[in-house]
């Protein structure tokens, strides 16, 4: 009996620790592999089963500029974004609801996420007034005033019908110098979340994500996380970043937030679109990202490549008969040369923006797909080192990346071989 019990105890000890997961009424999240802090997961939504790490293109008014819904499916986009404030302005959530919701309205069968409208507190700050009741905006279209409360944000998003909807939060630019304003916003965000939860009328069909605030203050971030986790929402976003803060501050706030959030729930870093940022945040344990950067930069003739970016307006490409990225399998790289794209970009031909946009979204989807596979294959640190070696062939990896990778437990020995460049302020993505 003792021998059998010993064998049984030994077998139990050798069993792998179950990977984190959670089940909410309209979302199932299952981590399928982890390596260090990085993880890849399967997220089952009402309209689609998405995989993370995942980049989500932004369709501000229900349409990703330059691409059709069919093309976004071809590019293997799992979730796309819509903007609550702009969609309510035009065409209006009641119209969208009458046509079957945002999925039917734009002909998109996969996952959708709508933001709360809160980000416009920053992007339209000169047109916004923030009180405990909500945010009053002056329409940039006709000058009319619109009050957006947590209850109204929920009502609009419930009509739009996205798989994931964001709580209205009090957003403060990260570069604000008033500590009291950050403290006020942190606690107000929690109070507004409670109002959002109470007003959310479709919890079995749509998922409400809370948004961590706290600026660049680790203690405020921890307070925000503690308060939001007590509300037990289906997922959490890391907000208030990508707004001009230093890269060092950026990665530290992502790291603190990701480490403090429940391991079995999705973690969404808002406003992140630079490929390097996506890689770093994934190493720190984040899952989801969105930004207009890949599509907006494409309209200026800038293509994303493993080495960084390719500015197709440069005359050097006028006689370059290579594809944008020889390693890319997208339609644009298979059919068009840099010389052709330089020609249409510099002449302002409408198709130029479409072609570069197509490639840039293909690049972001391939990047996250490769990360997922590297984590599954348990070679993620090697993959990160190869990625950084390609981007920084001289070994001059920025200090903030070195620090973030050290925190993530990924050695850059043999990669970060040269002094880092001087630190730069973070640009908005």
């Amino acid at each position: 009996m003792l021998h059998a019990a010993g064998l049984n105890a030994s077998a139990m000890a050798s069993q792998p620790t179950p990977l984190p997961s959670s089940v909410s009424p309209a979302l199932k999240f299952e981590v399928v592999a982890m390596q260090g802090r990085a993880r890849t997961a399967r997220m089952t939504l009402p309209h689609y089963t998405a995989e993370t790490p995942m980049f989500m293109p932004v369709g501000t008014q229900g349409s990703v500029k330059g691409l059709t819904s069919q093309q976004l499916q071809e590019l293997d986009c799992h979730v796309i974004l819509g903007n609550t404030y702009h969609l309510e302005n035009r065409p209006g959530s009641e119209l969208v609801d009458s046509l079957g919701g945002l999925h039917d309205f734009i002909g998109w069968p996969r996952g959708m996420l709508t933001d709360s409208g809160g980000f416009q507190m920053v992007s339209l700050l000169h047109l916004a007034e923030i009180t405990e009741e909500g945010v009053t905006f002056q329409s940039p279209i006709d000058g009319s005033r619109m009050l957006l409360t947590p209850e109204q944000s929920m009502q609009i998003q419930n009509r739009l019908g996205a798989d994931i909807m964001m709580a209205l939060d009090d957003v403060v630019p990260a570069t604000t110098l008033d500590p009291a304003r950050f403290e006020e916003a942190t606690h107000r965000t929690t109070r507004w979340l409670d109002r959002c939860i109470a007003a959310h009328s479709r919890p079995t069909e749509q998922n409400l994500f809370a948004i961590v605030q706290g600026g660049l203050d680790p203690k405020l971030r921890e307070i925000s996380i503690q308060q939001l986790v007590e509300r037990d929402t289906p997922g959490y976003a890391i907000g208030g970043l990508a707004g001009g803060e230093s890269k060092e501050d950026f990665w530290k706030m992502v790291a603190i937030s990701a480490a403090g959030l429940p391991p079995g729930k999705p973690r969404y870093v808002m406003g992140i679109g630079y490929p390097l940022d996506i890689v770093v945040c994934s190493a720190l344990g984040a899952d989801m990202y969105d930004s207009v950067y890949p599509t907006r930069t494409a309209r200026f003739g800038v293509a994303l490549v493993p080495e960084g970016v390719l500015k197709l307006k440069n005359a050097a490409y006028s006689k370059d008969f290579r594809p944008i990225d020889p390693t890319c399998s997208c339609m644009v790289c298979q059919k068009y040369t840099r010389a052709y794209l330089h020609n249409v970009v510099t002449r302002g031909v409408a198709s130029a923006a479409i072609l570069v946009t197509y490639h840039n979204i293909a690049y972001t989807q391939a990047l996250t797909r490769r990360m997922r596979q590297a984590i599954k294959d348990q070679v993620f640190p090697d993959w990160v080192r190869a990625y950084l070696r390609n981007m920084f062939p001289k070994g001059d990896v920025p200090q903030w990346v070195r620090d973030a990778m050290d925190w993530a437990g990924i050695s850059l020995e043999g990669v970060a071989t040269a002094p880092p460049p001087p630190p730069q302020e973070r640009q908005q993505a």
Side-chain angles (χ1 to χ4, degrees), residues 256-305:
I256 289 169
S257 302
L261 289 169
K265 300 281 184 86
R267 306 163 181 161
Y268 162 31
V269 188
M270 306 179 79
I272 301 305
Y274 294 143
L276 180 58
D277 291 4
I278 293 172
V279 171
V280 169
C281 289
S282 297
L284 297 174
D287 306 302
M288 303 163 60
Y289 316 97
D290 82 285
S291 174
V292 298
Y293 172 71
T295 50
R296 179 176 288 167
T297 200
R299 296 195 292 275
F300 292 94
V302 178
L304 304 179
V305 293

Side-chain angles (χ1 to χ4, degrees), residues 301-312:
V302 178
L304 304 179
V305 293
E307 298 77 19
V309 296
L310 211 64
K311 296 181 179 179
L312 291 163

